[in-house]
Amino acid sequence: MAHYTSKLKALPMLLRFQNKCIINTSTLCTKQALDVIQDATSTQLRTSESNPTLHTRNHHGKFYMIPEDVKSKLFFCGGIPRSLDIQMKSFHETVLMVREPALEVMSYLKKINYSNPAVRFVIYGRHGTGKTTTLAHLLHYGFASRYLLVHLPWVSIWTKRPKEVVASQYNEQRIDLPVESAIWLQHFKQQNSELLQQIDLKTTKSYSWSKREVTEQGEPLINVIEHGIQRVRHASDCVAVLLKEIKIHSASGKFKALVLVDGVNAFWCKTNVKRPDRSLVPPSEITITRAFMKMLQNDWNNAAVIASVDVLPANRDYTMLDPYTPRVLLGKEGFELLDPFIPIETEQYTEKEIDSQLDYYCDRLWIQSERGRSEEGRKIIKFLSGYNPYHVMQLCDPL
């Protein structure tokens, strides 16, 4: 692994060899410059079809654009890898490559009989092969298809780095994460505000938050969301109530729900959440994680669940050696909860995909060196990256 990493770091030196003036610092990735260049290569690299419900295998390997207003709705608190998001801002556009795993899941979603119990999909693959970007593509698909979106961008944000930990006021054994809960409620509202107004869901029972604060039976479900955002202390319980109501209302046929969870195996791993006595809290005793784990079950209909499993950050240095399959990462308990599910593997770039990615970097002036843009330079990038999408990105950053 150390030898492999040293080869990655050596790439800029290899590409500078025989070419002392690689980077043209006078050429900047300004929006005006990029727009001029885009016209010449748009037909080869891109598809004008920005609606993911219409994506087919004819679009495979091409980039499609997500409108900025849609991006701000869907990825309010995450869902795009940070390094990719920074790159997108540099390019002044949000684009994703149409790849086979997303197309496969979309084809299944179109054929599912939603009157049956919820169908579960588990996306797995080596680190950097596109699990999160596949979920991002499917999230956009769900939005365009008018699913009610229940999206958790990264489970470990809750289980590893919570901003505030408090004891539940309703159950002594439970722990609340009020800040994370309020942020997620805002995320849910941002993604589903238009659909919630149209389907007009009502609460099926009364919920008492305190002696003076009650959401009565028959009130709009949006009131529960607003209460959790405004009264952060109650946000965790509002998340639990909201998810419970969604499962109840899904039987009505007014909507189809799409649950998307990135890094789902963190639900069955140790947390960094501590009680006052410094003991670690298992995920099943955290109010919001417990509520989300119930959403993964197939005891409801008019729904589909798409989850990804990933090697946790602490072990990523050994990703090339460690098993990455759902059975290993989910463990016995997680595997039994999600079984049966449809496994979807994300793999390294195909020849067509890596050529498309390198063409895109050249188009965006991200690869500026003559050697890096040459056929020889492309062969070096392909060899050193092993066709891994994340490593391709890393290797091209200094070029």
Side-chain angles (χ1 to χ4, degrees):
M1 189 65 185
H3 177 63
Y4 179 80
T5 304
S6 66
K7 293 204 303 183
L8 294 183
K9 293 179 179 178
L11 178 66
M13 186 182 300
L14 291 172
L15 294 180
R16 284 187 175 89
F17 183 65
Q18 296 180 346
N19 186 357
K20 295 181 181 180
C21 188
I22 282 183
I23 299 179
N24 181 0
T25 55
S26 63
T27 306
L28 300 176
C29 291
T30 63
K31 189 175 189 304
Q32 291 80 3
L34 294 174
D35 287 343
V36 171
I37 295 173
Q38 178 178 324
D39 294 338
T41 56
S42 59
T43 56
Q44 301 172 4
L45 294 174
R46 304 165 184 270
T47 171
S48 59
E49 187 53 73
S50 61
N51 185 347
T53 64
L54 301 178
H55 287 164
T56 68
R57 284 175 174 79
N58 293 330
H59 302 110
H60 175 245
K62 293 190 175 185
F63 291 89
Y64 87 98
M65 185 175 294
I66 301 176
E68 284 304 310
D69 62 326
V70 174
K71 179 188 177 183
S72 63
K73 279 180 177 289
L74 296 184
F75 306 104
F76 174 76
C77 70
I80 296 177
R82 184 173 181 272
S83 56
L84 180 59
D85 192 40
I86 293 172
Q87 198 175 80
M88 288 174 172
K89 291 175 182 176
S90 300
F91 296 159
H92 303 284
E93 63 179 12
T94 302
V95 298
L96 292 175
M97 183 188 292
V98 180
R99 299 189 67 199
E100 178 60 31
L103 291 172
E104 183 178 357
V105 176
M106 290 177 197
S107 68
Y108 292 141
L109 291 175
K110 293 174 182 177
K111 299 173 183 176
I112 288 174
N113 182 350
Y114 286 90
S115 63
N116 291 331
V119 176
R120 281 86 61 86
F121 301 86
V122 174
I123 299 173
Y124 71 101
R126 295 189 184 277
H127 176 57
T129 53
K131 297 181 290 295
T132 299
T133 52
T134 296
L135 280 175
H137 195 173
L138 294 170
L139 179 66
H140 189 194
Y141 170 86
F143 177 78
S145 301
R146 293 178 53 76
Y147 286 84
L148 185 72
L149 301 175
V150 182
H151 175 225
L152 178 49
W154 186 239
V155 175
S156 291
I157 292 178
W158 290 355
T159 61
K160 296 297 183 181
R161 302 184 297 275
K163 294 180 174 60
E164 184 181 7
V165 178
V166 300
S168 171
Q169 58 182 330
Y170 297 109
N171 189 322
E172 294 180 356
Q173 299 300 316
R174 304 277 168 76
I175 292 295
D176 288 350
L177 307 179
V179 176
E180 282 72 19
S181 301
I183 292 172
W184 185 83
L185 286 170
Q186 183 65 47
H187 181 62
F188 178 86
K189 177 185 174 183
Q190 194 91 346
Q191 291 180 330
N192 298 286
S193 56
E194 296 176 6
L195 184 60
L196 286 173
Q197 290 176 359
Q198 294 170 7
I199 58 180
D200 191 28
L201 301 179
K202 307 289 186 180
T203 54
T204 59
K205 59 180 290 188
S206 296
Y207 298 99
S208 176
W209 314 110
S210 66
K211 292 181 179 179
R212 298 181 180 180
E213 297 167 302
V214 178
T215 299
E216 299 290 352
Q217 180 179 351
E219 287 190 31
L221 191 56
I222 191 72
N223 290 1
V224 174
I225 300 170
E226 294 290 357
H227 181 81
I229 295 171
Q230 295 169 12
R231 298 281 284 127
V232 177
R233 182 184 176 187
H234 303 149
S236 291
D237 294 306
C238 288
V239 171
V241 166
L242 173 63
L243 298 181
K244 176 183 176 181
E245 289 281 348
I246 288 173
K247 291 187 72 169
I248 293 172
H249 282 292
S250 68
S252 67
K254 289 184 178 180
F255 63 87
K256 293 182 292 186
L258 188 62
V259 180
L260 303 105
V261 181
D262 199 0
V264 72
N265 49 304
F267 281 142
W268 296 279
C269 297
K270 289 183 179 179
T271 75
N272 289 340
V273 181
K274 296 181 180 179
R275 301 185 189 277
D277 62 2
R278 310 301 292 172
S279 62
L280 293 178
V281 182
S284 60
E285 293 181 11
I286 301 173
T287 302
I288 51 177
T289 57
R290 182 183 180 87
F292 250 93
M293 290 165 75
K294 292 180 180 179
M295 299 297 287
L296 302 177
Q297 298 172 342
N298 64 345
D299 58 351
W300 56 310
N301 59 359
N302 284 317
V305 176
I306 307 172
S308 75
V309 292
D310 201 359
V311 178
L312 296 180
N315 297 325
R316 278 186 181 164
D317 290 341
Y318 308 97
T319 302
M320 300 300 292
L321 303 175
D322 285 355
Y324 56 91
T325 60
R327 182 65 184 88
V328 172
L329 294 178
L330 287 170
K332 183 176 184 294
E333 186 179 355
F335 190 87
E336 289 178 352
L337 186 144
L338 286 169
D339 188 44
F341 60 84
I342 300 173
I344 305 291
E345 184 176 8
T346 58
E347 300 179 324
Q348 316 287 30
Y349 277 146
T350 64
E351 195 70 35
K352 177 181 179 180
E353 289 172 340
I354 197 169
D355 282 334
S356 181
Q357 185 66 69
L358 294 175
D359 287 342
Y360 178 73
Y361 283 152
C362 292
D363 172 56
R364 295 284 90 187
L365 303 180
W366 199 243
I367 300 178
Q368 297 188 1
S369 72
E370 294 178 9
R371 192 77 185 280
R373 298 164 76 96
S374 69
E375 189 60 34
E376 181 183 3
R378 292 165 75 104
K379 287 180 180 178
I380 295 174
I381 294 171
K382 292 177 181 179
F383 171 72
L384 292 179
S385 68
Y387 288 69
N388 181 281
Y390 179 66
H391 292 152
V392 171
M393 178 192 293
Q394 282 184 309
L395 289 166
C396 292
D397 274 353
L399 304 181

